[in-house]
């Protein structure tokens, strides 16, 4: 396993564009629904077995984000305007060094938080500026099993 991977004790996921395909269904009443990939649930479960903590960090305030986090059994920080600041606070409160954090993000609102951590990943369809700062560009697009691919990456490197 890559030595930088051995140091990871926390993985942070953006929600939209990572756990989803960045699209939303809106009904006539304004209710939103997203499509998620069940293989990511398996990925989260398997990563837990590696002893790595996981959280969702999202700017969204949609209850679907917290519902998904609850089902996965991981912490969800949402309605976050400044992801870097929120992540730094979370790490301070949980005695986690930022260089022991991996961040999976896809767009410019993830950029500053990604620059602050030890290891970065993005989906194949991430924004070009995020690809440019990512340590690893995964082969999977957002919402198509990013976390499941990440688990394979973690266990094969």
């Amino acid at each position: 396993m890559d030595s930088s991977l051995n140091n990871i004790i926390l993985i942070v996921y953006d929600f939209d564009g990572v756990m989803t395909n960045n699209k939303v269904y809106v009904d006539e009443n304004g209710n939103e629904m997203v499509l998620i990939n069940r293989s990511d649930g398996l990925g989260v479960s398997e990563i837990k077995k590696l002893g790595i903590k996981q959280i969702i960090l999202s700017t969204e305030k949609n209850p679907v984000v917290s519902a998904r986090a609850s089902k996965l059994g991981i912490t969800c920080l949402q309605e976050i305007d400044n992801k870097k600041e929120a992540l730094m606070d979370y790490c301070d409160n949980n005695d986690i060094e930022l260089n022991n954090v991996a961040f999976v993000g896809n767009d410019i609102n993830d950029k500053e938080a990604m620059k602050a951590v030890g290891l970065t990943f993005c989906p194949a369809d991430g924004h070009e500026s995020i690809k440019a700062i990512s340590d690893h560009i995964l082969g999977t697009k957002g919402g198509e099993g990013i976390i499941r691919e990440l688990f394979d990456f973690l266990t094969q490197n």
Side-chain angles (χ1 to χ4, degrees), residues 1 5 17 36 53 56 63 88 100 113 143:
M1 185 183 272
L5 293 176
I36 53 97
K53 200 171 164 92
I56 295 172
M88 290 172 66
N100 297 123

Side-chain angles (χ1 to χ4, degrees), residues 133-147:
I133 65 164
S134 292
D135 297 309
H136 303 282
I137 301 169
L138 298 167
T140 306
K141 291 181 178 180
E144 294 185 4
I146 288 290
I147 300 169

Side-chain angles (χ1 to χ4, degrees), residues 36-155:
I36 53 97
N37 190 307
R38 288 192 184 272
S39 67
D40 280 338
L42 177 62
V44 167
S45 177
E46 292 299 312
I47 290 170
K48 282 181 184 178
K49 292 177 186 175
L50 299 175
I52 300 172
K53 200 171 164 92
Q54 301 163 85
I55 66 170
I56 295 172
L57 183 58
S58 178
T59 56
E60 277 295 314
K61 62 180 179 178
N62 193 326
V64 73
V65 181
S66 52
R68 184 63 179 151
S70 178
K71 182 161 185 168
L72 295 172
I74 62 176
T75 297
C76 175
L77 305 175
Q78 64 185 79
E79 290 188 72
I80 302 299
D81 292 325
N82 185 325
K83 289 186 178 186
K84 179 181 177 183
E85 188 176 289
L87 178 57
M88 290 172 66
D89 288 346
Y90 180 86
C91 288
D92 280 347
N93 292 332
N94 290 279
D95 297 319
I96 299 171
E97 297 291 326
L98 287 170
N99 63 336
N100 297 123
V101 176
F103 197 109
V104 186
N106 74 304
D107 215 331
I108 59 173
N109 62 335
D110 300 316
K111 195 175 207 173
E112 295 308 311
M114 290 177 76
K115 286 180 179 180
V117 302
L119 196 58
T120 54
F121 296 86
C122 77
D125 60 347
H127 188 271
E128 290 304 316
S129 67
I130 298 304
K131 288 180 178 180
I133 65 164
S134 292
D135 297 309
H136 303 282
I137 301 169
L138 298 167
T140 306
K141 291 181 178 180
E144 294 185 4
I146 288 290
I147 300 169
R148 181 64 185 83
E149 181 183 346
L150 178 61
F151 169 70
D152 286 342
F153 181 88
L154 293 171
T155 56

Side-chain angles (χ1 to χ4, degrees), residues 15-29:
F15 187 74
D16 290 319
V18 173
M19 291 187 168
T20 76
N21 64 1
N22 219 15
K23 297 177 182 175
V24 63
Y25 299 98
V26 182
D27 72 15
E28 67 277 4
N29 298 314

